[in-house]
């Protein structure tokens, strides 16, 4: 530790610290623009100039390392004059348009100019003007004359997002921030440059001119769009969500937010919102009141139970549902004697259930995971599934973590990684080879096996493509054997915000009961859907549609009405999304996080837990006397202590399933990053990004040749359920006998991923 003095205050600081870091830790504020604790030092704004004893001129605090015995003065005349001189230069060309600037009221330059600026300017020449830039549907760069060239945005795209999409071109007065090669921002983390910009040069395009900062109420919440559990600040005006910002939590999302979490709110008030309960009579939908609708639901459930037995009833829920919603849905099922409940609508193999000994999760905290020496990722499209976790991995790789990825197509990860591209039906064999590599094994096998054995702390994680694989149980068992052989921590990257919570609650079909796959045989007479859109959230798609059409009654608790629901459902009950209700999620690291609603419920929407509570009372079931979601959480038994005792990624002996042939033509690609849930799918800004466009089918050139197809042609993809026309693209980074086609509304009829398909000339 080094002993220094800042404004007469003696401090002990670590070797290698800079003056600004030491000052911030001591509670001394030094004005700055270009410095950011998560980015490299640029030292180009010079706003942080301070006086250092025995130095002839002021020094930038962000770029000056501390030395033993150093004396720093942040409030001296030398420091103050230097900072005021820098501020005068910054304001020379800055436009005086604060009254119309979206950054007004939360602008660093505006705030610091009050303390360090002058009352008048000595500059009388014309101010420079910079033409605005098109950076895509999420980030507005229409007012680049405001830019002060701090380069925070440039450094973020390069260092955190992993690929430099912005650059500062030219010099001096002609310097401008430009998209690289004229392209728009395509990173899935682009919205963070809005937070980083200290002025009004980069602002939120969806939020532009929507509200002033002082008009907004700020409320804390938790993301409902992936299992990371990002902490949010939701800003509200007139009971409408206007903007979402990150709430800093170093252990979870640090100070960042993915675009999916940041801009999904734009889908909350979509025209599809269901405002009143609706019942279908004679093929026509009619609005009704809540008491009539709930009595209709209760009568339908009683009738099916009496006529066909409780085994003919299924309750399926989206894993984005809260702990409270799932607990009451399970209580409802138990009261009716229903054993068919589940949240794993895209899963195909349920053989792991009987062998599972605890709830499946990441296996460790996010911080511990990022501290791994070596990580093996199996069957996960990292940037698509977990954009913010990928940024944490990227930072860890820079610090020395070795990353290996086993998948069916090479990923553009924007970080160094060893990748093994294999047919998904060969993954079990690859994992077995990693556990006992042969001398003549591939370089990937040998190097990855060595890293897993040599590392003091190693991790193996399975992603969505592994979990939705027809051989999930065998893949998991092979990964567990590899983890035991190498001393690695085994975990999963859950597919939804509360997947771990659902597992902890045991919200899954009992042994022998109807699961989401077996339900597709059309045997179920009553099906309750909690926040599920069957055409996009269920692996069956067309088979799901047919099965639901055969049911006697389909009850949909949903925030939105869609064409698919209007066709298959008999009653639709409007329930609130996460912003309009209170509840809890359990993240991938087993972290229980509760939140409150931030706006009033839309129209006659009600929180799902309240609807289920009243329905339980309508059915005469015991244990539905709750008055708050907090009471439901307590009754569920989930808290930090009980969760810790239940988290366990160990499985017993897994019964083998059928052997799948790597010669089969299989569709992969996962769920599109902006197709994950009903709210995200209705966010128009997200749907306008390049990531949400209709995907092409990526096929290895050898596979195209074998099928007598050509690059850039059209073809028909046929599954057991349906067929769709797609555009082909030859891609040597995809495994042979694989078609990489991401789930999108244009191809949803094909159904499950990891299923065999046909590809024929269109």
């Amino acid at each position: 530790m080094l002993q220094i003095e800042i404004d007469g205050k003696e401090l002990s600081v670590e070797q290698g610290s800079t003056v600004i870091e030491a000052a911030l830790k001591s509670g001394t504020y030094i004005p700055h623009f270009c410095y950011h604790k998560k980015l490299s030092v640029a030292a180009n704004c010079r706003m942080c100039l301070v006086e250092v004893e025995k130095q002839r001129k002021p020094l930038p605090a962000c770029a000056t390392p501390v030395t033993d015995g150093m004396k720093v003065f942040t409030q001296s005349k030398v420091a103050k004059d230097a900072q005021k001189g820098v501020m005068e230069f910054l304001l020379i060309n800055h436009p005086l348009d604060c009254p119309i600037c979206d950054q007004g009221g939360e602008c660093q330059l505006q705030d610091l100019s009050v303390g360090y600026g002058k009352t008048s300017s000595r500059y009388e020449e014309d101010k420079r003007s910079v033409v605005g830039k098109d950076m895509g549907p999420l980030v507005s760069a229409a007012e680049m004359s405001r830019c002060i060239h701090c380069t925070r945005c440039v450094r973020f795209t390069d260092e955190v997002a992993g690929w430099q999409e912005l650059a500062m071109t030219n010099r001096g007065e002609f310097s401008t921030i430009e998209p690289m090669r004229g392209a728009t921002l395509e990173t899935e983390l682009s919205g963070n440059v809005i937070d980083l910009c200290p002025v009004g040069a980069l602002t939120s395009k969806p939020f532009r001119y929507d509200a002033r900062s002082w008009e907004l109420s700020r409320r804390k919440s938790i993301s409902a769009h992936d299992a990371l559990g990002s902490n949010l600040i939701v800003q509200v005006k007139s009971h409408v969500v206007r903007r979402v910002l990150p709430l800093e939590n170093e252990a979870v999302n640090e100070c960042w937010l993915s675009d999916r979490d940041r801009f999904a709110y734009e889908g909350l008030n979509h025209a599809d919102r269901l405002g009143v309960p609706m019942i279908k009579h004679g093929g026509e939908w009619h609005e009704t009141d809540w008491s009539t609708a709930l009595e209709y639901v209760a009568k339908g459930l009683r009738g099916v139970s009496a006529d066909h037995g409780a085994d003919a009833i299924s309750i399926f829920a989206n894993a984005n549902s809260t702990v409270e919603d799932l607990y009451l849905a399970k209580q409802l099922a138990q009261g009716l004697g229903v054993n068919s409940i589940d949240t794993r609508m895209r899963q195909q193999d349920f053989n792991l259930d009987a062998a599972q000994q605890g709830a499946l999760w990441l296996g460790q905290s996010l911080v511990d995971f990022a501290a791994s020496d070596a990580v093996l990722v199996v069957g996960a499209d990292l940037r698509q599934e977990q954009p913010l976790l990928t940024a944490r991995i990227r930072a860890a790789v820079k610090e020395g973590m070795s990353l290996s990825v086993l998948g069916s197509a090479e990923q553009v990860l924007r970080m160094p990684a060893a990748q093994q591209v294999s047919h998904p039906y060969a993954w079990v064999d690859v994992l077995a080879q990693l556990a006992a590599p042969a001398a003549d094994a591939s370089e990937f096998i040998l190097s990855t096996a060595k890293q897993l054995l040599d590392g003091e702390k190693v991790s193996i994680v399975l992603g969505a493509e592994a979990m939705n694989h027809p051989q999930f149980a065998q893949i998991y068992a092979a990964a567990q054997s590899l983890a035991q052989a190498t001393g690695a921590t085994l975990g999963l990257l859950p597919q939804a915000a509360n997947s771990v919570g659902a597992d902890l609650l045991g919200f899954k079909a009992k042994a022998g009961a109807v699961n989401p796959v077996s339900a597709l045989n059309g045997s179920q007479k009553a099906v309750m859907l909690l926040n599920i859109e069957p055409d996009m959230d269920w692996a069956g798609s067309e088979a799901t549609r047919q099965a639901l059409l055969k049911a006697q009654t389909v009850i949909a608790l949903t925030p939105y009405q869609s064409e698919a629901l209007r066709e298959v459902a008999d009653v639709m009950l409007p329930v609130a999304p996460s912003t309009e209700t209170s509840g809890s999620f359990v993240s991938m690291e087993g972290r229980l996080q509760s939140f409150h609603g931030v706006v009033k419920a839309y129209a006659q929407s009600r929180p799902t837990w309240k609807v289920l509570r009243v329905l339980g009372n309508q059915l005469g079931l015991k244990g539905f006397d709750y008055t708050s979601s907090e009471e439901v959480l307590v009754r569920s038994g989930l808290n930090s202590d009980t969760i810790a005792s239940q988290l366990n990624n160990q499985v017993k002996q897994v019964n083998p399933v059928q052997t799948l042939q790597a010669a089969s033509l299989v569709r992969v690609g996962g769920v599109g990053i902006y197709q994950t849930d009903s709210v995200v799918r209705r966010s128009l800004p997200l749907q306008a990004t390049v990531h949400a466009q209709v995907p092409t089918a990526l096929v290895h050139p050898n596979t195209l040749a074998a099928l007598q197809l050509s690059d850039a042609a059209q073809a028909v993809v046929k599954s057991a359920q349906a067929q769709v026309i797609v555009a082909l693209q030859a891609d040597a980074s995809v495994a042979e006998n694989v078609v990489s086609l991401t789930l999108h509304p244009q191809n949803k009829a094909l159904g499950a991923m990891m299923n065999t398909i046909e590809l024929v000339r269109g």
Side-chain angles (χ1 to χ4, degrees):
M1 300 293 285
L2 303 179
Q3 301 300 313
I4 69 167
E5 187 179 295
I6 298 180
D7 294 335
K9 185 190 298 183
E10 294 186 355
L11 304 169
S12 295
V13 297
E14 295 179 359
Q15 179 87 32
S17 299
T18 60
V19 170
I20 197 169
E21 290 170 342
L24 290 173
K25 287 179 181 177
S26 72
T28 300
Y29 179 73
I30 297 176
H32 59 273
F33 292 113
C34 67
Y35 169 78
H36 191 278
K37 63 182 179 181
K38 295 289 184 180
L39 303 176
S40 63
V41 174
N44 52 12
C45 79
R46 317 309 277 189
M47 192 64 212
C48 64
L49 291 173
V50 293
E51 182 183 1
V52 178
E53 187 182 57
K54 299 180 181 178
Q55 297 296 322
R56 293 183 299 170
K57 59 182 181 180
L59 300 179
C62 68
T64 302
V66 296
T67 58
D68 202 30
M70 174 184 279
K71 291 186 178 182
V72 179
F73 306 94
T74 69
Q75 303 296 319
S76 67
K77 185 179 185 306
V78 172
K80 288 285 189 181
D81 287 347
Q83 291 163 357
K84 287 184 177 181
V86 169
M87 179 59 70
E88 183 176 17
F89 274 111
L90 287 173
L91 294 176
I92 280 177
N93 274 313
H94 195 81
L96 303 178
D97 61 349
C98 295
I100 65 163
C101 178
D102 254 10
Q103 200 83 348
E106 51 189 6
C107 173
Q108 250 182 292
L109 182 65
Q110 194 177 54
D111 292 342
L112 292 181
S113 66
V114 174
Y116 301 92
K118 297 183 177 181
T119 56
S120 61
S121 174
R122 294 179 290 172
Y123 187 77
E124 297 179 353
E125 288 76 14
D126 293 336
K127 291 178 179 286
R128 76 168 193 158
S129 178
V130 180
V131 177
K133 311 294 188 300
D134 179 13
M135 292 191 183
L138 304 180
V139 178
S140 172
E143 307 292 345
M144 292 306 289
S145 294
R146 301 169 182 161
C147 179
I148 61 171
H149 308 133
C150 70
T151 68
R152 280 182 175 182
C153 57
V154 174
R155 284 174 283 149
F156 173 82
T157 61
D158 183 28
E159 298 167 13
V160 179
W163 190 50
Q164 188 176 347
E165 295 186 84
L166 297 173
M168 188 164 74
T169 61
N170 303 317
R171 301 189 69 180
E173 183 182 359
F174 304 102
S175 298
T176 58
I177 301 295
E178 304 269 358
M180 297 285 281
R181 297 174 295 280
T184 59
L185 281 178
E186 295 184 5
T187 171
E188 59 280 1
L189 307 174
S190 66
N192 291 290
V193 302
I194 299 167
D195 301 334
L196 288 170
C197 186
V199 294
L202 300 178
T203 56
S204 169
K205 188 171 282 189
F207 177 70
R208 187 169 163 81
Y209 299 138
D210 191 32
R212 307 302 306 212
S213 63
W214 53 85
E215 299 175 311
L216 300 169
S217 300
R218 292 159 175 80
R219 293 155 191 178
K220 297 178 182 180
S221 191
I222 303 297
S223 166
H225 306 298
D226 64 34
L228 190 74
S230 294
N231 290 202
L232 312 175
I233 295 175
V234 182
Q235 298 188 323
V236 176
K237 177 187 175 186
S238 303
H239 301 293
V240 175
V241 176
R242 305 286 181 158
R243 185 167 59 169
V244 173
L245 300 174
L247 174 61
E248 185 170 348
N249 186 331
E250 197 64 26
V252 182
N253 55 302
E254 302 175 271
C255 56
W256 311 123
L257 208 56
S258 69
D259 289 348
R260 182 165 60 195
D261 292 336
R262 185 184 297 270
F263 296 107
Y265 76 91
E266 283 285 314
L268 291 172
N269 296 306
H270 192 274
D272 287 349
R273 276 301 297 267
L274 181 64
V276 296
M278 299 184 74
I279 297 176
K280 188 189 289 183
H281 287 300
E284 297 292 329
W285 283 98
H286 302 275
E287 295 182 357
T288 187
D289 58 82
W290 269 103
S291 60
T292 302
L294 288 171
E295 180 54 39
Y296 180 93
V297 171
K299 183 179 179 181
L301 292 174
R302 286 195 207 100
V304 170
S305 182
D307 296 343
H308 304 281
D311 287 343
I313 302 174
S314 292
I315 299 178
F316 295 135
N318 195 311
N320 285 332
S321 304
T322 65
V323 167
E324 294 80 357
D325 296 346
L326 294 177
Y327 176 73
L328 285 184
K330 185 179 179 183
Q331 293 298 99
L332 186 71
Q334 289 177 340
L336 294 170
V338 172
N339 294 316
S340 175
I341 62 174
D342 225 307
T343 62
R344 301 164 296 173
M345 309 311 297
R346 295 190 175 107
Q347 194 164 314
Q348 300 184 74
D349 178 15
F350 298 90
N351 286 289
L352 197 66
D353 289 359
Q356 189 175 323
Q357 294 180 300
L360 303 180
W361 63 306
L362 181 61
Q364 57 195 309
S365 71
L366 293 167
V367 173
D368 288 344
F369 173 71
S372 300
D373 299 313
V375 171
L376 171 63
V377 176
V378 181
D381 189 325
L382 286 172
R383 289 175 56 206
Q384 181 169 278
E385 293 176 32
Q386 300 291 342
L388 212 49
L389 178 62
T390 305
R392 192 183 279 268
I393 295 173
R394 190 175 291 119
V397 169
K398 286 185 177 181
E399 295 298 318
M401 173 197 285
S402 62
L403 176 65
S404 301
V405 180
L406 172 59
S408 51
E410 188 171 326
Q411 301 177 39
V412 181
L413 294 171
R414 297 177 176 171
M415 62 179 134
Q419 299 200 50
Q420 171 73 52
V421 175
S422 300
H423 192 286
Y425 292 176
W427 289 353
V428 173
D429 292 336
V430 174
L431 290 170
Q433 292 175 44
L434 284 168
D440 58 348
S442 68
E443 182 181 347
F444 174 86
I445 297 290
L446 294 174
S447 62
T448 301
K450 185 176 187 304
Q451 289 163 357
L452 293 176
L453 282 170
D454 292 349
E456 287 187 20
K457 185 179 186 325
V458 295
S459 302
I460 301 172
V461 290
L462 308 182
E465 288 203 327
M467 284 180 270
N468 298 335
H469 198 291
Q471 290 180 313
F472 171 49
Q474 286 177 274
I475 290 174
Y476 195 96
Q480 180 175 267
S481 297
L482 176 60
Q484 291 169 346
T486 58
T489 299
L490 176 62
L492 293 175
L493 299 179
Q495 299 182 63
N498 200 32
S499 295
V500 177
D503 207 3
L504 288 164
L505 290 170
F507 200 94
K508 61 178 67 174
K510 293 184 179 179
V514 174
N515 60 44
V517 170
S518 55
L520 301 183
N521 62 13
S523 62
Q524 300 310 93
K525 302 302 180 183
V527 181
M528 180 182 288
L529 304 176
L530 272 61
N531 197 17
I532 288 175
E533 296 190 303
D535 57 330
M536 289 293 290
D537 295 329
W538 208 323
S541 195
E542 181 59 26
T544 301
R545 173 178 171 271
Q546 295 296 334
L548 294 177
L549 286 172
K550 291 177 184 177
Q552 188 173 309
T553 182
V554 175
I555 304 149
L557 280 67
T558 175
Y560 302 97
Q561 52 179 316
S562 64
E563 286 302 315
L565 282 176
R566 291 176 69 88
E567 180 185 17
V568 301
D570 298 287
V571 56
M572 293 189 293
L573 305 178
V575 294
S578 62
T579 52
E580 299 170 17
T581 184
S582 57
S584 308
F585 295 136
V586 182
S587 71
M588 66 170 69
E589 61 174 345
R591 183 186 296 264
L592 178 67
Q593 299 185 107
S594 298
F595 57 91
H596 296 285
V598 297
V599 292
K600 289 195 286 189
Y602 172 79
Q604 295 185 34
S605 296
R606 299 288 185 270
T608 301
W609 71 268
K610 287 188 176 181
V611 176
L612 293 171
R613 180 200 64 190
V614 176
L615 184 56
N617 292 328
Q618 288 267 27
L619 291 165
L621 305 178
K622 294 182 179 179
F624 285 83
D625 54 350
Y626 308 99
T627 59
S628 68
S629 62
E630 289 81 4
E631 285 184 24
V632 182
L633 179 62
V634 171
R635 189 76 65 87
S636 75
L638 289 191
N639 55 55
S640 298
D641 293 333
T642 58
I643 289 174
S645 67
Q646 293 183 60
L647 295 174
N648 187 345
N649 286 330
Q650 294 299 308
V651 299
K652 296 179 289 187
Q653 184 66 37
V654 176
N655 296 323
V657 295
Q658 61 177 337
T659 301
L660 301 174
Q661 301 298 320
S664 303
L665 187 62
V666 173
R667 179 195 174 196
V668 301
V671 180
I673 185 173
Y674 299 140
Q675 306 298 336
T676 51
D677 61 72
S678 58
V679 178
V680 169
R681 289 193 285 266
R682 288 172 174 82
S683 172
L684 298 183
L686 290 179
Q687 297 309 312
T689 64
V690 294
H691 300 291
Q693 303 314 299
V694 178
T696 56
L698 306 179
V699 189
H700 194 283
N702 293 346
T703 305
L704 285 177
L707 297 172
Q708 298 183 342
L709 297 170
S710 57
D711 182 25
Q714 284 194 329
V716 177
V717 180
K718 295 182 179 180
S719 69
Q721 305 172 29
Q723 62 182 43
V724 299
I725 298 175
V726 299
L728 298 177
Q729 181 178 335
D731 191 335
S733 69
V734 177
E736 294 190 35
N737 296 320
V738 162
V739 175
S740 180
L741 183 62
T742 302
L743 176 66
H744 185 275
Q746 293 294 320
N747 59 47
K748 63 186 180 183
L750 291 174
M753 301 290 169
M754 293 292 175
N755 274 359
T756 56
I757 58 168
E758 292 182 61
L759 191 62
V760 298
R761 192 180 303 276

